Amino acid sequence: MAATSDSTPAAAAAAASSSSSPLHIVVFPWLAFGHMIPFLELSKRLASRGHAVTFVTTPRNAARLGATPPAPLSSSSRLRVVLLDLPAVDGLPEGAESTADVPPEKVGLLKKAFDGLAAPFARFVAEACAAGDGEAVTAAAGFLRKPDWIIPDFAHSWIWPIAEEHKIPYATFLIVTAALVAILGPRRENLTHPRTTAEDYMVQPPWIPFPSNIAYRRRHEAEWMVAAFRANASGVSDMDRFWKSEQHPNCRLIIYRSCPEVEPRLFPLLTELFAKPAIPAGLLMFPDTINNDDDASEQSFVPPAIEWLDKQSEKSVIYVALGSEAPLTEDHVRELALGLELANVRFLWALRPPRGDGGSNDGGAAEILPDGFESRVAARGIVCTQWVPQLRVLAHRAVGGFLTHCGWGSTIESIQFGHPLVMLPFIVDQGLIAEAMAARGIGVEVARNDDGLFHRDDVAAAVRRVMVEEEGKVLARKAKELSDIVGDREQQEMYLDELVGYLQLYK
């Protein structure tokens, strides 16, 4: 049912949030950890509000998320996991189930395999609908009724026929910034204002009616945008995936992992551009006190990274991590290493070597780091090539800055703990995020040329600006101010409550 016209949608959603019966919600992310983790966090938050949530993924990803059934994911047992086996695709490495398992050039094949999940997902939905439409009396009974909602990702271009057949509404959940969706725009605006070159994405699009910094400044970032509009090995472009899903009437809401405090003015614009409510879910931040390894292992285990940090002075260490999927080359790694050496500051580097054809990026750092690097910096820095508990690191008293690729998840985590940033963006919305954080005065970007190349001297200069020079104190103060704003837990929980209200109102 759509919202009535005699009240604002936000007011009606707030009223609906606490007054309606529990929902059964099916959540299904794209196969990337930068997507699966916030989707799982959203699922937990919805389950904690009394709703039955079914989280759909593949077996290996579930195991790596610590979400293997039949064990419940919450004490209330309102969150369950349903596993779908990923079909084999020629050219896709055996056992590859996420983007972390494949080199960038094979992500299109992973999308092709992902499209093969349409049929098993359709069978699952049909079986769920066959269970009936009765009201949920207990937590377990909530799973024995027709789903009220499906919440897919951008990649589910095949979701709408399934939802339409069973008359189930869906709400696309986007884990990227609202700014990225604004620069991408809806199909109709792209048809009216066609863009074909990298330069087209280096200016603000005409459908953003107010001054902003929503444009790419470097060609290598803008070229990624051009590629997003081209068909890949799956036969479908990323933009067509999103547009095919969001344009259907059964897509009633678009949910964003963001909030107006971080991205002002964009939510009303996106509501207008896509002709459906743009709903902030908040930042889905983790507890400020991190007592275990990102909810992944026993509290008694202390990783080597944390042991090393425990021996360092307060705010003396810059944490270096470029995510699991940045398209790093050996040249990038070498220049970054030599830049850290030149900066002469304490550092903890979570290094994932460039992915090979089989998708493995574990170990192997000694072969790509400069000769003698680790021995030369041993007194003030360490390189970790195995898993590093990022949240625990960012929460540690010894960390005073973060050298990051500006992935949205990592940026949110850094904002949460009030760290100034050294920024080295690569793809997707990372350049937009870096520009926005620089405009807020909480980070500096490593100087690069238009092709994305950077030099060790530029790395060292940016690191010293944040960690050594007087400017770093100003950056840290502004980072703390932003952290205080977005760290308002009551406000962040309100966004989730309002989201539930929209789900009640538009079902």
Side-chain angles (χ1 to χ4, degrees), residues 95-293:
E97 293 188 10
S98 82
T99 54
D101 300 326
V102 296
E105 63 271 16
K106 292 199 173 183
V107 171
L109 292 175
L110 185 66
K111 290 187 171 97
K112 184 176 181 180
F114 182 74
D115 292 341
L117 293 177
F121 182 71
R123 288 193 293 271
F124 156 72
V125 172
E127 292 168 2
C129 291
D133 296 315
E135 292 293 324
V137 178
T138 66
F143 298 114
L144 302 178
R145 54 192 291 261
K146 177 182 175 180
D148 297 289
W149 281 92
I150 300 172
I151 300 183
D153 210 325
F154 83 97
H156 299 64
S157 56
W158 37 263
I159 205 86
W160 65 264
I162 301 170
E164 184 176 59
E165 178 183 356
H166 299 286
K167 296 180 173 56
I168 302 172
Y170 63 94
T172 301
F173 178 37
L174 300 177
I175 57 84
V176 295
T177 56
L180 176 64
V181 184
I183 196 174
L184 290 170
R187 189 190 295 273
R188 71 175 186 281
E189 292 289 356
N190 279 270
L191 292 174
T192 304
H193 307 281
R195 297 173 293 179
T196 58
T197 68
E199 287 79 8
D200 292 331
Y201 297 94
M202 298 176 75
V203 295
Q204 178 173 303
W207 52 82
I208 298 180
F210 46 79
S212 76
N213 54 10
I214 302 177
Y216 287 97
R217 292 187 299 115
R218 293 197 173 90
R219 173 178 291 275
H220 76 278
E221 297 167 352
E223 286 174 346
W224 176 87
M225 292 290 287
V226 177
F229 287 78
R230 292 197 298 259
N232 52 50
S234 70
V236 185
S237 74
D238 286 348
M239 281 311 302
D240 274 337
R241 287 180 180 276
F242 173 54
W243 283 336
K244 284 181 181 180
S245 175
E246 67 84 13
Q247 285 181 308
H248 195 272
N250 268 41
C251 179
R252 299 184 185 175
L253 308 169
I254 302 180
I255 306 167
Y256 297 83
R257 187 190 186 185
S258 186
C259 61
E261 290 84 358
V262 177
E263 298 192 274
R265 305 182 73 178
L266 287 181
F267 287 91
L269 173 64
L270 290 170
T271 295
E272 179 181 351
L273 285 174
F274 290 94
K276 59 195 65 179
I279 310 300
L283 299 180
L284 300 176
M285 296 184 297
F286 293 88
D288 287 330
T289 303
I290 308 299
N291 293 319
N292 60 17
D293 300 337

